[in-house]
Amino acid sequence: LHVWDNMIGDESREKRKIAVTDESGNFIKRLNELEYTPKGILANIWYSTDIVLIDPLTGRVKKRFDFSALQAKNPEGVLNGISVIDEQKGIFLVTGKNWPTIYRVSLNGWNTPQRS
C-alpha cells in the first residue's frame, strides 16, 4: 500500500509504503479495488476469490472473506469491485470484471473481534 499526503495544489507526496501480509506472514501482491472503512482497508486480491480486511498501520490481514460462491456463478470474469453500503452492519456491494450482476452482500464475521 502506498500512503500519500493530501493534495496541495497540483502536488501530492508519497508518505510511506506498507507491505501487506497474510495471516501466515506471507506478502500479498495484486491488491485491487481498495475501499477504506473505519475497521481497515478492504481489498480484493486480483485473480482470487478473496476480499481481505487490512490494518492500515501494520499491513496485516485482519480478516479474509471468501467469495468463491459468487465466482462460481460468474466463471467468465474475476472478482473486482467492492463498495460500502452500511459499514456498521457489514453490508457491501461486490461485482467483478465481465459480471452481469452487482451483488448486495453481508460479510459474515464483519462485527466479530479482529486480529490485531
Side-chain angles (χ1 to χ4, degrees):
L1 296 174
H2 298 262
V3 180
W4 295 81
D5 278 333
N6 288 335
M7 203 76 145
I8 300 172
D10 291 336
E11 293 186 29
S12 62
R13 292 191 183 110
E14 186 176 35
K15 229 173 147 175
R16 63 189 168 112
K17 292 180 185 177
I18 303 166
V20 176
T21 56
D22 67 13
E23 301 86 343
S24 300
N26 300 312
F27 293 109
I28 296 179
K29 296 182 180 179
R30 300 185 325 263
L31 295 175
N32 191 39
E33 207 54 43
L34 305 178
E35 184 76 26
Y36 181 82
T37 76
K39 291 186 180 193
I41 299 168
L42 285 167
N44 77 285
I45 302 170
W46 186 242
Y47 286 101
S48 144
T49 59
D50 292 339
I51 290 177
V52 292
L53 178 64
I54 304 163
D55 182 315
L57 298 176
T58 66
R60 287 200 48 157
V61 168
K62 295 160 68 169
K63 291 191 180 195
R64 183 178 295 263
F65 303 96
D66 178 11
F67 284 88
S68 56
L70 289 184
Q71 181 67 52
K73 292 180 181 183
N74 301 281
E76 66 283 350
V78 295
L79 180 66
N80 180 51
I82 185 161
S83 180
V84 176
I85 296 297
D86 187 329
E87 187 272 334
Q88 289 197 347
K89 291 182 181 176
I91 300 172
F92 299 87
L93 297 177
V94 295
T95 192
K97 293 277 186 199
N98 300 317
W99 289 14
T101 306
I102 298 172
Y103 297 91
R104 183 183 173 110
V105 299
S106 177
L107 297 180
N108 291 331
W110 180 254
N111 286 316
T112 58
Q114 302 167 14
R115 294 184 189 97
S116 49

